[in-house]
Amino acid sequence: MDFDRIKSRLDALLSAGKKAELRGALNMLNEVDIAEYLETLDNEKMLVVFRLLPKDISAEVFSYMDNDQRTRIMEAMDDSEAIKLIDDMFIDDAVDFLEELPAGVVKRMLQGCDEKKRQLINQFLRYPENSAGSIMTIEYMEFHLGTTVGQAMAEIRRTGVDKETINTLYILDDSRKLLGTVGLRKLLLATDDRVVEDLMNTQVISVHTTDDQEVVADTVRKYDLLSIPVVDHEDRLVGIITVDDIVDVIEEENTEDFEKMAAMLPSDDEYLKTSVFTLAKNRLPWLLILMISATFTGMIITHFETVLSSAAGIGVALTACIPMLMDTGGNCGAQASTLAIRGLALGEIELKDIGKVLWKEVRVALILGVVLALVNFLRIWFFTPYDKTVAFIVSLAMFFTIIIAKSIGCTLPLLAKAIHLDPALMASPIITTLVDAASLTVLFTFASTIMKV
Amino acid sequence: MDFDRIKSRLDALLSAGKKAELRGALNMLNEVDIAEYLETLDNEKMLVVFRLLPKDISAEVFSYMDNDQRTRIMEAMDDSEAIKLIDDMFIDDAVDFLEELPAGVVKRMLQGCDEKKRQLINQFLRYPENSAGSIMTIEYMEFHLGTTVGQAMAEIRRTGVDKETINTLYILDDSRKLLGTVGLRKLLLATDDRVVEDLMNTQVISVHTTDDQEVVADTVRKYDLLSIPVVDHEDRLVGIITVDDIVDVIEEENTEDFEKMAAMLPSDDEYLKTSVFTLAKNRLPWLLILMISATFTGMIITHFETVLSSAAGIGVALTACIPMLMDTGGNCGAQASTLAIRGLALGEIELKDIGKVLWKEVRVALILGVVLALVNFLRIWFFTPYDKTVAFIVSLAMFFTIIIAKSIGCTLPLLAKAIHLDPALMASPIITTLVDAASLTVLFTFASTIMKV
């Protein structure tokens, strides 16, 4: 059933005031769909429907809402109801939500929570944003050395329902150091009297609390993990991160790269929910920097004024070819830089490959340069009023522009990485500005040399 | 321990011919790292090390290799050894590998496999590339109505070790229609005599065999799933897809978008392993199309020849401003189109939002237009030899260029979606070409009107 039909049925029940039936209907939906439905309602109705949800469902629905919606609900609730809700949430979801609230509200909420939960949340709120610590969860199954399979299974039956995952069980020593993991599958296949350390896999891949979420995502992706343990600086287990949360991290990091590559400051918010001023603020800095950098391109043109104002319309002919030359150069550079940035992000290219990458791009540029210069020569000769000399000058400039563009395009992201800048910044906009200057210099140098003006 | 140290230790054992110790050392490594190590060896050594691996490990290591490496290993093996290897692999990994082999080799391999496996692989090879069917696995746990928890647990203990996941169990009716799922967690908490349908969740989110992998990834991401069932056109369960494979799909789809947005034909291969000719072939079509499109920009300039050749260096002054105007317009358009493309890909923007998006972009453009035009006016006035009239004309053109660029940039991806083209095609390169023409027309129209030439 598609969302519009779901919504119209729920709306009908809601406006008829049939609460019991509405509760029944909501029961048939996935939490994600309920959150989506709530988003379409006004504050008052949203709270009515939200209160109809069973307690465990409402906490999960809440975790799927965006911050706007959450704030709307929290504002409509009184404090005790809000505190109850936070208490029912998984700790990582609660922290995720509290991070977005004003500090005063967080303090009020936490005073209402029980002591243990408050301490935990406070600890989580201290991890740097986007670190492994800030996205981990503490709802995992841990066992100490000497636990038998029978004891472990009993414990899983007793407390497993509240854990984020029971697929992987973590084995600790007395100082909480992570010694190894046991898959639930292995536990199921073993006899009750064996001890967990016999079944333990000691080749554990883990991350540190302070590792960036990008590192976590790369590790999970590389090793095809379903969850990864998070340890502190003394190798003690403090949490785990499950792959479903990693999927969100990956999309977030990709969006960030897309934004940076289009000369914008990255933003965590959904486009339609971001204010016009915030959008403008994120876009202005790079536009300004790039616009002012383009002054140099203007200076190059002014410098070659004599060529432009030379006789017989040659100046206009060259001017008419500038946009094509600049765009082709920019596109060539963007292709090379995009592949370099992407290769770096996926770990397919490393810093030490810079020679290989450059040699590859130069050969690609030679092929593309010959083809494009040739097509361009024929195009100018046959389809424009300009003569063969102009066609030759422009095509020669085109050839060298492509070589320069590809070389700049592929090396800049790698150099950025070398000095610990984000390679994604060295994308189309900056490459285009640099290639513009190069292509104009090449064009006018050839023109003034060949035509001797 | 980092990879270089791992490699030097293994290399030492290998060259000393200490096979037993090497086998022991390999035993300590993750399959992904073993695959990475094998990649650094020549064919002969690679096969020596590969043969040292235990059977189940070697099949998994094989699935983590890239196609180059796999082909190298297969070529070095005789047929019976190769067939044994394919028999040991999970079916989805085997299919993934066979898809890349020449048809003749596939036939020879399959003739050696047992009958049941051959039929299955053949069926998989018939699903369209990148469809849910082609990436699913059939190693899942299924139960029919009436199975008790005790029976189910016994079956999981008996066959669970060969399954891709045992977290979710699938409940089918007699015609293999998918009725619902039971989480292993729920099974563990229930008493042995209950039947599985009592514990069943009937709100199952599934995909069809022919759905594109992008649809699968979007669904898994939206609902935070760890695995998703794949059904045929009669709703019969035919396979499942686990989230670790989805992580790879997401990165693949993102790479495709990055490539399309930089005017390249998408490619599945790693950059460093793609030949120079393939790279050139993927990049040439759009470069040619865009270069030839730029002819129109040239025609616009030629059309306004009189303005360019007008007295007192105004022509050169305007020419000097063309690159800056074009680049700023292109950057503004790219920002808008990137956010629209990304919003569409993540499902944050839909077709019906086109009015909202356009209205938002126009307001952003007004803010940016005023700021940039003002800065530009002051820049030309104070820092160039040109007079206030030129500064005014260029800045006015800048303002309107930004409005046009943002409008084109945000609407084209949505319009592409409307006619079932990939929105990612409507990115920086095409937008830039269109905005170039617009910005030049605006500039020269203002110039000829204001200066009355």
Side-chain angles (χ1 to χ4, degrees), chain A residues 28 33 157 163 167 185 188-189 203 223 251 254 271 274 283 302 327 342 360-361 436, chain B residues 28 33 157 163 167 185 188-189 203 223 251 254 271-272 274 283 327 342 360-361 386 436:
Chain A
M28 301 301 289
D33 293 324
R157 286 213 176 82
K163 305 300 177 188
N167 307 325
R185 200 188 296 228
L188 283 175
L189 297 173
Q203 293 302 307
Y223 293 101
E251 286 296 18
N254 276 313
Y271 173 78
T274 313
R283 297 183 195 182
T302 317
D327 283 351
R342 194 65 189 148
K360 197 154 221 165
E361 285 300 320
D436 282 354
Chain B
M28 300 301 290
D33 293 325
R157 287 214 173 81
K163 305 301 177 187
N167 307 325
R185 198 187 296 228
L188 283 175
L189 297 173
Q203 295 301 310
Y223 293 101
E251 287 295 18
N254 276 315
Y271 173 78
L272 286 177
T274 313
R283 298 182 194 183
D327 282 351
R342 193 65 189 150
K360 196 153 222 165
E361 285 301 320
Y386 314 128
D436 282 355

Side-chain angles (χ1 to χ4, degrees), chain B residues 194-261:
Chain B
R194 293 192 69 181
V195 286
V196 285
E197 53 263 46
D198 284 354
L199 311 169
M200 189 166 71
N201 164 29
T202 55
Q203 295 301 310
V204 184
I205 289 156
S206 62
V207 288
H208 280 90
T209 46
T210 51
D211 282 345
D212 191 84
Q213 61 178 6
E214 203 166 351
V215 173
V216 182
D218 288 346
T219 312
V220 169
R221 187 163 51 78
K222 178 172 177 187
Y223 293 101
D224 276 359
L225 305 174
L226 288 175
S227 60
I228 191 165
V230 183
V231 297
D232 66 11
H233 57 283
E234 289 172 42
D235 277 341
R236 290 176 305 208
L237 182 67
V238 288
I240 64 164
I241 300 170
T242 49
V243 66
D244 51 319
D245 293 327
I246 290 300
V247 167
D248 298 333
V249 169
I250 288 177
E251 287 295 18
E252 230 175 79
E253 298 289 335
N254 276 315
T255 300
E256 224 174 76
D257 275 359
F258 276 110
E259 288 169 338
K260 282 185 193 153
M261 287 170 74

Side-chain angles (χ1 to χ4, degrees), chain A residues 241-296:
Chain A
I241 300 170
T242 51
V243 65
D244 50 320
D245 293 327
I246 291 300
V247 167
D248 299 332
V249 170
I250 289 177
E251 286 296 18
E252 229 175 80
E253 297 291 334
N254 276 313
T255 301
E256 223 174 77
D257 275 359
F258 276 110
E259 287 169 340
K260 282 185 193 153
M261 288 170 74
M264 287 177 278
L265 305 182
S267 144
D268 278 346
D269 300 316
E270 273 191 36
Y271 173 78
L272 286 178
K273 287 171 186 150
T274 313
S275 75
V276 169
F277 277 100
T278 309
L279 285 174
K281 209 183 60 196
N282 289 341
R283 297 183 195 182
L284 189 60
W286 276 109
L287 287 179
L288 267 178
I289 292 170
L290 292 168
M291 184 181 83
I292 291 169
S293 311
T295 308
F296 294 101

